[in-house]
Amino acid sequence: MKIKNICCIGAGYVGGPTMAVIAEKCPGVKVTVVDINEKRIKQWNDPDVEKIPIYEPGLSSIVKETRDKNLFFSTDVDKAIDEADMIFISVNTPTKTYGIGKGMAADLKYIELCARQIAAVAKNDKIVIEKSTLPVRTAAALKNILDNTGNGVKYQILSNPEFLAEGTAVEDLKSPDRVLIGGDIESEEGREAMEALVNIYASWVPKEKILTTNVWSSELSKLTANAFLAQRVSSINAISELCEKTGADVNEVAKAVGMDSRVGPKFLKASVGFGGSCFQKDILNLVYIARTYNLQEVADYWEQVIIMNDHQKRRFAANMVQTMYNTVAGKKIAILGWAFKKDTNDTRESAAIYVADYLLNEQAEIVVYDPKVTEEQIYSDLDYLGSRSGDANRKGVTVVKSSYEACDNAHAIAVLTEWDEFKQLDWKKIYDQMLKPAFLFDGRRLLEPKTKKEIGFEFYAIGN
Ligand code: UDX
Ligand code: UDX
């Protein structure tokens, strides 16, 4: 089967970049990305490509090349579904905030809405692809909804989880470690659908990197991959606390451990805690699924990764307060970096939100600078946490446009995102602007401790 028309529902951090790269690599395929959020679609269509809603290195130039040629952004979901041979579902699947599985299970309401909309609109056979990360066996639910509409349309459901990391999305999409495609291997139609998707990716990905499996393996592989990655971060973060007590340096330990080729060097950087839309959500999901099958030991084992991460964020903030003579009330504290990692404007589950919240509870005055995150987003993150009123968040937090402005007259600085530009700052100048003693808390192991101490900072770095 030759695919001519692709539709993607959800113009977010995954749908947007993924479809842009498919459009670039498959000029003969028309790709339409739809979203119910009108503002977001308007931003994707902004004549100034630098204003697209997602910041990813290299993304705006691809959008510039392909937009309105074979890449389209629209709010007309029905039309795009109707025209497409292949539909990617890339809507968000947040952790449930209500009912059974609250705080643990993935909320599948948007996925189900998409399925119902596809069922209502489709007039010819479609391949429907789960791009969103989903609990194991969601494909079965999707198929049930689609097959029970009685209009004779045939659907093939594939699972094609995304492994891109934000900040390097374009690079990851262009040369992925692997592409995973799960489908109904048992049936002829299932194999054909998988082949159609394999052919899309084969336009630029070497065939040996495209893996086909049954649907359940594919769905579970995504949760497992994220759980393994997050587990490495929690493991090194657990060791970072021990390093602080013993005088070992966590970077040296990580290097020594990572040089064992069986362990490998990646994802061993101690930090103030992992964030992002995936790690916590996917592990909670895994834990919830294990509990559902009554696998208590399995559930407890993976839950510990989250417990450690929460501990790391809290311990960092508590350490700040303790170091500053057990009180930060009325003290100005500069937060450098709000995004959950560098090179993205995404703030979901960012450690900075939790550290700021802790310090606000201690009545500190917070000033934030992040190179890519908007003021609106910062307030909305704090409001969403719900610890205090919107007014109190706006009173307690000021957002500024440079690191120097943030640190002026501050008692302390917390570096919470590893933006490259923070390494290049004139730290002597910053020190001179601050109240003394001037505290510098490095949650990312970004800065060189020795020179900071020489300048005069009271310096603390995770795991040092
Ligand atoms: C994705 C996946 O969907 C998630 O499961 C995965 O684990 C991480 O990546 P992401 O692209 O980061 O999520 O989400 P987001 O940036 O929130 O984009 C989702 C988009 O879907 C939003 O723009 C939202 O408006 C849109 N949406 C949601 C719809 O168009 N229709 C809906 O019914 C629901
Ligand atoms: C992750 C997975 O890497 C990706 O494959 C999947 O598709 C989505 O989830 P992402 O969340 O975008 O990607 O970023 P990632 O680079 O994995 O970082 C997650 C968090 O862990 C960040 O807050 C990062 O700062 C933190 N981290 C990462 C560490 O603290 N230490 C490390 O060594 C690595």
Side-chain angles (χ1 to χ4, degrees), residues 15-157:
T18 308
M19 292 305 125
V21 170
I22 291 184
E24 186 194 33
K25 299 291 187 184
C26 308
V29 179
K30 179 181 172 191
V31 182
T32 309
V33 193
V34 292
D35 202 297
I36 48 174
N37 182 337
E38 276 176 31
K39 185 175 160 208
R40 210 166 205 182
I41 290 298
K42 206 163 166 232
Q43 288 172 318
W44 277 112
N45 282 322
D46 199 297
D48 178 357
V49 283
E50 298 309 325
K51 294 208 175 116
I52 56 174
I54 283 162
Y55 172 72
E56 276 293 341
L59 179 60
S60 58
S61 62
I62 299 181
V63 172
K64 192 172 176 188
E65 284 307 309
T66 52
R67 196 174 56 189
D68 299 328
K69 292 196 186 89
N70 68 329
L71 177 66
F72 300 87
F73 294 93
S74 159
T75 50
D76 195 343
V77 184
D78 284 357
K79 179 163 175 266
I81 291 175
D82 182 30
E83 288 177 357
D85 324 302
M86 188 176 255
I87 302 168
F88 286 85
I89 302 184
S90 186
V91 298
N92 40 334
T93 50
T95 305
K96 272 186 92 175
T97 52
Y98 55 88
I100 293 180
K102 179 178 169 181
M104 302 286 285
D107 192 340
L108 300 180
K109 71 176 173 210
Y110 301 127
I111 299 282
E112 180 162 345
L113 280 174
C114 288
R116 290 188 187 280
Q117 193 163 4
I118 294 170
V121 172
K123 298 199 272 295
N124 57 344
D125 297 353
K126 311 268 184 211
I127 299 171
V128 176
I129 302 167
E130 301 175 344
K131 195 50 145 168
S132 308
T133 310
L134 296 167
V136 189
R137 305 200 85 88
T138 306
L142 268 179
K143 188 151 179 54
N144 250 332
I145 295 170
L146 292 169
D147 283 348
N148 280 302
T149 52
N151 55 1
V153 173
K154 289 216 179 71
Y155 297 96
Q156 279 302 320
I157 317 286

